[in-house]
Amino acid sequence: MSEQKQILTPDDIRRALVRIAHEIDERNGGLQEVILVGIRQRGVPLAERIATSIADFEGIRVPVGQLDITLYRDDLRMRGPTPLVRKTEIQHDLTDKVVVLVDDVLYTGRTVRAALDAIADLGRPACIQLAVLIDRGHRELPIRADFVGKNVPTSRSERVAVHLRETDGRDEVVISRA
């Protein structure tokens, strides 16, 4: 049996994403060259929410793409004989653009490393930035987020689960220990 504790409510998630949207605008001196790319699965609805927030305060719609990193993972062999590969959908050329990768949880950095490899196959952005809802530490690679909703110190035995309306029917972030 595991004990769960809610660490972000729906309103906390909304506020964190609005703050990240403003930080992306400020850091880049505008949004004309910015493309948000959500890492499947939960990075995609987070990227869409950030884009909606930007549209609310700037009046422009930042392009949003979806990135599947399955075949770029370094643990592909450990995931079984038939990995589930989803579609990458990025409608804009990434060359010379500011690509903001969006994901739910930053942990070891291996998912981001896979995403960087996938992006490199799609073009040569001017720069790549990283936005995450949760940074839980325990990096195995030299990767850090540019935009963080919440830093959550954890132990390796804890699990952080992000639940989103679009994928799970509810908004919350919980931490549990087995």
Side-chain angles (χ1 to χ4, degrees):
M1 194 83 169
S2 68
E3 179 184 322
Q4 282 192 348
K5 178 184 177 196
Q6 185 180 59
I7 57 175
L8 288 182
T9 66
D11 201 44
D12 295 332
I13 293 170
R14 182 194 59 74
R15 279 194 309 272
L17 295 176
V18 168
R19 183 173 36 79
I20 288 171
H22 281 280
E23 290 174 358
I24 290 169
D25 184 17
E26 291 168 13
R27 166 96 39 102
N28 293 295
L31 300 159
Q32 292 70 28
E33 301 300 318
V34 172
I35 298 176
L36 301 174
V37 176
I39 300 172
R40 289 191 183 264
Q41 177 98 17
R42 287 173 183 81
V44 174
L46 292 173
E48 289 289 351
R49 290 186 194 190
I50 291 169
T52 298
S53 181
I54 289 170
D56 288 346
F57 68 80
E58 282 293 331
I60 63 167
R61 178 74 182 169
V62 174
V64 177
Q66 303 178 15
L67 185 66
D68 181 74
I69 60 155
T70 303
L71 297 177
Y72 293 89
R73 296 187 63 94
D74 62 4
D75 62 353
L76 193 56
R77 287 191 200 104
M78 294 183 272
R79 292 186 166 259
T82 324
L84 178 60
V85 178
R86 294 181 179 94
K87 190 174 181 183
T88 290
E89 296 178 39
I90 300 175
Q91 303 298 321
H92 295 78
D93 182 12
L94 302 181
T95 303
D96 297 326
K97 299 295 184 187
V98 174
V99 172
V100 181
L101 289 172
V102 181
D103 204 8
D104 57 349
V105 178
L106 177 56
Y107 182 31
T108 63
R110 292 181 181 276
T111 296
V112 175
R113 190 228 26 101
L116 292 170
D117 288 347
I119 290 291
D121 282 350
L122 298 173
R124 190 176 190 284
C127 74
I128 301 173
Q129 299 169 350
L130 176 62
V132 297
L133 181 60
I134 302 291
D135 184 345
R136 64 170 292 187
H138 303 288
R139 228 63 90 237
E140 295 174 359
L141 300 171
I143 290 174
R144 68 166 180 79
D146 299 281
F147 313 103
V148 178
K150 183 173 179 80
N151 286 292
V152 180
T154 63
S155 72
R156 288 194 181 270
S157 65
E158 291 174 313
R159 182 172 181 272
V160 174
V162 174
H163 302 284
L164 299 175
R165 232 179 14 255
E166 298 88 342
T167 55
D168 309 293
R170 68 188 187 280
D171 279 347
E172 70 175 350
V173 179
V174 296
I175 190 167
S176 60
R177 177 176 288 225

